[in-house]
Amino acid sequence: QKEVEQDPGPLSVPEGAIVSLNCTYSNSAFQYFMWYRQYSRKGPELLMYTYSSGNKEDGRFTAQVDKSSKYISLFIRDSQPSDSATYLCAILPLSGSARQLTFGSGTQLTVLP
Amino acid sequence: GAGVSQSPSNKVTEKGKDVELRCDPISGHTALYWYRQSLGQGLEFLIYFQGNSAPDKSGLPSDRFSAERTGGSVSTLTIQRTQQEDSAVYLCASSLAGYNEQFFGPGTRLTVL
């Protein structure tokens, strides 16, 4: 079992739709959660970062964490064609020397105009 | 301000040749990471540098891979005797000491023929 599981999609939605992207993780030592957006042939771009259970909102984006079920989500409201990209969840342990991110496999999203 | 830069953006080489990939982190970022992104494996950690501490090499796939960081800034990832399975996008990221957010460069796309 991978440490982080993410539905690879692809996911295709019409413009204006609400998008839900999800990941599950297996190790409760993971305590920091990030979402990256990656456009084709570009490096990942940090979208959201959170460390507590609950919701964190930034514009049209909401990151949700449920540590009890080891489930993290990214919601995109009023999706736009410019949101078409691959979305990667990434997690970090709370402490220790290991500082490398563990990534999900990424979900490819297409928003149709 | 400048982000993480990587060079070259693309590299095509023949099997058995050595390659060097360069990363220039964000100014002031003391932590530097190398990751590899390939179709079958997703985004995988390779090596992590933090200041003057010994690097965390736990993600390097074989002894053909090595990396160094000179003067606490620029880093070079070297792959010796390249194999076709080394074909991937090599991504560099940096972060401030004590911060979890990692910022990625555009990557170097390596193709081994």
Side-chain angles (χ1 to χ4, degrees), chain A residues 1-7 22-25 89 103-105:
Chain A
Q1 181 190 8
K2 288 186 177 180
E3 288 189 293
V4 184
E5 299 277 1
Q6 183 175 7
D7 184 352
N22 308 295
C23 290
T24 58
Y25 61 97
C89 61
F103 283 88
S105 56

Side-chain angles (χ1 to χ4, degrees), chain B residues 52-101:
Chain B
N52 296 320
S53 302
D56 176 355
K57 305 179 183 179
S58 60
L60 294 178
S62 78
D63 58 8
R64 296 186 296 104
F65 288 72
S66 63
E68 63 177 20
R69 190 175 183 193
T70 53
S73 181
V74 171
S75 177
T76 302
L77 177 69
T78 301
I79 309 173
Q80 296 178 309
R81 305 181 302 281
T82 51
Q83 304 294 311
Q84 288 182 331
E85 61 263 28
D86 299 334
S87 296
V89 176
Y90 289 82
L91 291 159
C92 176
S94 70
S95 69
L96 285 167
Y99 285 77
N100 296 312
E101 299 97 316

Side-chain angles (χ1 to χ4, degrees), chain A:
Chain A
Q1 181 190 8
K2 288 186 177 180
E3 288 189 293
V4 184
E5 299 277 1
Q6 183 175 7
D7 184 352
L11 184 61
S12 184
V13 300
E15 183 174 355
I18 296 174
V19 176
S20 172
L21 305 166
N22 308 295
C23 290
T24 58
Y25 61 97
S26 57
N27 189 343
S28 58
F30 289 127
Q31 295 287 329
Y32 297 100
F33 310 95
M34 299 175 201
W35 284 95
Y36 284 85
R37 176 175 62 193
Q38 187 174 25
Y39 291 114
S40 180
R41 294 189 169 257
K42 302 287 186 183
E45 170 195 7
L46 181 63
L47 271 180
M48 303 279 292
Y49 161 56
T50 185
Y51 55 88
S52 57
S53 279
N55 295 347
K56 181 178 181 179
E57 208 170 297
D58 184 0
R60 296 185 295 110
F61 298 89
T62 299
Q64 187 177 81
V65 175
D66 182 345
K67 290 185 179 179
S68 62
S69 58
K70 300 187 182 68
Y71 196 85
I72 59 175
S73 300
L74 178 71
F75 298 96
I76 307 174
R77 290 186 301 280
D78 187 25
S79 55
Q80 303 295 310
S82 58
D83 295 328
S84 298
T86 296
Y87 290 80
L88 298 148
C89 61
I91 53 181
L92 263 176
L94 175 62
S95 60
S97 60
R99 304 310 300 157
Q100 64 268 27
L101 292 165
T102 299
F103 283 88
S105 56
T107 300
Q108 187 179 343
L109 171 68
T110 301
V111 181
L112 302 169

Side-chain angles (χ1 to χ4, degrees), chain B:
Chain B
V4 177
S5 60
Q6 292 186 245
S7 61
S9 54
N10 285 283
K11 176 72 176 178
V12 180
T13 190
E14 293 179 346
K15 178 182 172 182
K17 296 286 178 84
D18 297 352
V19 295
E20 284 189 353
L21 312 179
R22 176 188 167 107
C23 171
D24 206 335
I26 294 171
S27 177
H29 282 197
T30 58
L32 186 148
Y33 313 79
W34 283 97
Y35 294 85
R36 178 171 70 174
Q37 188 172 33
S38 56
L39 275 176
Q41 301 299 322
L43 235 157
E44 305 172 289
F45 165 74
L46 295 176
I47 188 169
Y48 160 54
F49 295 90
Q50 173 55 57
N52 296 320
S53 302
D56 176 355
K57 305 179 183 179
S58 60
L60 294 178
S62 78
D63 58 8
R64 296 186 296 104
F65 288 72
S66 63
E68 63 177 20
R69 190 175 183 193
T70 53
S73 181
V74 171
S75 177
T76 302
L77 177 69
T78 301
I79 309 173
Q80 296 178 309
R81 305 181 302 281
T82 51
Q83 304 294 311
Q84 288 182 331
E85 61 263 28
D86 299 334
S87 296
V89 176
Y90 289 82
L91 291 159
C92 176
S94 70
S95 69
L96 285 167
Y99 285 77
N100 296 312
E101 299 97 316
Q102 296 180 21
F103 298 91
F104 283 81
T108 294
R109 184 172 297 272
L110 175 66
T111 303
V112 182
L113 301 176

